[in-house]
Amino acid sequence: METTTINELSQGVANSMFTVNNLWMMIATALVFIMHLGFSTLEIGFIRSKNVVNVLFKNLMILPIGIITYYICGFNLMYPGDFNGYLGFAGFGLSMPAGDAGLIAYADGHYTYWTDFLFQAMFAATCATIVSGAVAERIKLTSFIIFSIIFVGLVYPILGSWKWGGGWLNDMGFYDFAGSTLVHSVGGWGALASIILLGPRLGKYGANGSIKPIPGHSMPMAAVGVFMLFLGWFGFNGGSVLSADPELVSYVLVTTTLAACAGGIASVVASKIVFKQYDLSMAFNGILGGLVGITAGADVVSLNASLIIGVVAGLILPFSVMFFDKLKLDDPVGATSVHLVCGIWGTLAVGIFSAEHSFVTQLIGVLAYGVVSFSVAFLLMFILKKTIGIRVSRKEEVEGLDLAEHGLTAYPNFLVTPADGTNL
C-alpha cells in the first residue's frame, strides 16, 4: 500500500494553489481584454455615425500595438529588476527561458511569467485607449498610431516602473493598487495634452463662447460599453491582487462594485441639479468615474470609504465636464473627466481613507506622474503637429473620417450628411 508523506502532500497543495492562482490571473486577463470591447462600443456610441469605423479601427489596432510594443521593450522597461529607481531596462523581448516553470519573484511565485506578461500588456494597451476617445472625430489616423506606439511602448512602462517596478515612488511609499494614476491618469494626461494641441471639433464652440452639444449617435452602444467595462473591471481590480486569494479578491470586487454604483447614482443626482434633467451620459460616466476612483485603493479602504470615493467621483464629473468645456477643450467621450480627474481623486483618496498611506506621498506621486506624462505627451503631439500634422482637413472632418480615412461607412444604407456636416 502506497503512503503519502507530509512533504509530498504539502507539495501537492502548493501545486494546486499555483494552478488556481494562475487560472484566476488568466481569467482576469481575459476580463481586461473584454474592456477593450467596452471602450470601443462606449466610444462609438458617444460619437457621430460618420466616424464609427475610424474609432473602431483605432481601438482595434491599439490592442496589437500595445501587446507587440510591450513585448519588444515595454515589459522589461516596466519591470527591469534591480535599477536606479528611475530608468532601467532588462533587455528586448521576454527573457524567461521557454523550459522554465516561469515563476516570478515579485508575485511571490503565484503564477507564471507568461501569464504576468499578458495581464500587464492588457493594462498597457488600456492607456492608449483612453486617449483614443478624447481625440475622436478629428485626429489623423497615422499620427494617432505613431503617438500610441511611443506612448505605450516607452512612456507608460517607464512611468509604471517608478511604482510597480520597484522604483523611487514605490520606495517612498506611494500606493496605487491597480492604476488610478499609473494607467488612468497617465492616459488622461496624454488625452489632455492631445486635445489642447488638436483643437475642438468643428461647430463645438461658438465665437461668443457658446457650447453646442454634439450628441452621440447610439446611446444603446454606449450602454453596452459601460456594462462591458464594469464587468471587465472585476479582472482589472480583482486580478491586481496577483493571486486567487479568496478573501482579498472578493473584498476588492465588493469595494469596486460599491464605488461604481455610488458614482453612477451621485452623477445622476448632480446632473439633475445642474442640467435639470436625467442625463444618461452622466450616468454612464459616473459609474466609470467611480470605478476609476476606487482602482487606486480597492484593497486598502473600508467599504464605507469605497462608497464615499464613488460618490465624490460621481459628483465632480458634471463640474469637470463643464470646466473643460469652458476652456474649449473638446472631449467627445469625457475621458479627461473620467480617467484624469477621477484618477487623481482616487489616488489622493488612498491617503485620506487608508491609515497606512500618506496623503502627502500620494500627492507627490500624482504631481510627478502629471508633470512627466503631460509634458512628454504634449511634446510628442507637438512634434507630430509640426511634421506630419495631427488633424484632418476641414473637408475630411465634415465628410467624416470613415470615408476620408477608410473609404467605407459603418451604416452605408443610412448615412445622410447635412450641409454643414456637424450633426452626424
Side-chain angles (χ1 to χ4, degrees), residues 12 52 229 285 368:
V52 168
L229 286 168
N285 278 341

Side-chain angles (χ1 to χ4, degrees), residues 21 24-32 107 110-111 115-116 119-120 123 177-178 232-245 248-250 252-253 256:
N21 287 330
W24 164 241
M25 291 304 297
M26 288 191 287
I27 292 171
T29 299
L31 288 170
V32 181
H110 287 147
Y111 53 92
T115 297
D116 189 66
F119 182 67
Q120 301 295 344
F123 277 59
F177 171 64
W233 233 284
F234 290 156
F236 200 90
N237 284 2
S240 293
V241 172
L242 303 182
S243 76
D245 182 309
L248 189 53
V249 170
S250 52
V252 164
L253 296 188
T256 299

Side-chain angles (χ1 to χ4, degrees), residues 67-276:
I67 292 173
I68 295 298
T69 55
Y70 205 63
Y71 166 76
I72 293 172
C73 62
F75 189 65
N76 282 338
L77 279 170
M78 198 161 181
Y79 300 100
D82 295 329
F83 73 122
N84 58 23
Y86 296 90
L87 178 64
F89 185 49
F92 293 101
L94 300 180
S95 55
M96 182 65 68
D100 199 292
L103 303 188
I104 45 178
Y106 53 81
D108 298 322
H110 287 147
Y111 53 92
T112 72
Y113 179 84
W114 313 119
T115 297
D116 189 66
F117 164 73
L118 283 176
F119 182 67
Q120 301 295 344
M122 296 302 159
F123 277 59
T126 299
C127 195
T129 302
I130 294 167
V131 180
S132 168
V135 299
E137 303 202 279
R138 74 269 200 207
I139 195 169
K140 285 184 175 180
L141 182 61
T142 301
S143 299
F144 176 77
I145 289 176
I146 293 172
F147 175 86
S148 297
I149 291 172
I150 299 172
F151 202 68
V152 175
L154 298 176
V155 179
Y156 166 77
I158 291 173
L159 295 181
S161 72
W162 293 355
K163 165 58 186 173
W164 290 341
W168 69 279
L169 279 172
N170 183 69
D171 293 340
M172 184 181 289
F174 175 74
Y175 195 75
D176 189 354
F177 171 64
S180 287
T181 284
L182 272 72
V183 178
H184 296 283
S185 284
V186 168
W189 285 116
L192 179 60
S194 299
I195 62 177
I196 289 173
L197 288 170
L198 194 59
R201 291 168 291 173
L202 295 175
K204 175 63 178 177
Y205 304 111
N208 60 353
S210 61
I211 302 170
K212 178 183 177 182
I214 302 178
H217 88 286
S218 177
M219 286 297 101
M221 291 302 294
V224 171
V226 172
F227 280 112
M228 294 300 295
L229 286 168
F230 200 155
L231 172 65
W233 233 284
F234 290 156
F236 200 90
N237 284 2
S240 293
V241 172
L242 303 182
S243 76
D245 182 309
E247 181 178 5
L248 189 53
V249 170
S250 52
Y251 184 81
V252 164
L253 296 188
V254 171
T255 58
T256 299
T257 302
L258 290 176
C261 295
I265 293 171
S267 189
V268 167
V269 172
S271 61
K272 175 63 175 176
I273 294 171
V274 174
F275 304 125
K276 312 301 181 187

Side-chain angles (χ1 to χ4, degrees), residues 348-388:
L348 296 177
V350 173
I352 298 173
F353 296 108
S354 173
E356 293 116 18
H357 299 96
S358 162
F359 179 84
V360 173
T361 302
Q362 294 300 104
L363 179 60
I364 291 172
V366 166
L367 293 174
Y369 279 109
V371 169
V372 177
S373 56
F374 177 83
S375 300
V376 174
F378 191 93
L379 179 61
L380 286 174
M381 273 294 176
F382 183 79
I383 292 172
L384 289 169
K385 183 174 183 177
K386 294 301 180 180
T387 51
I388 64 175

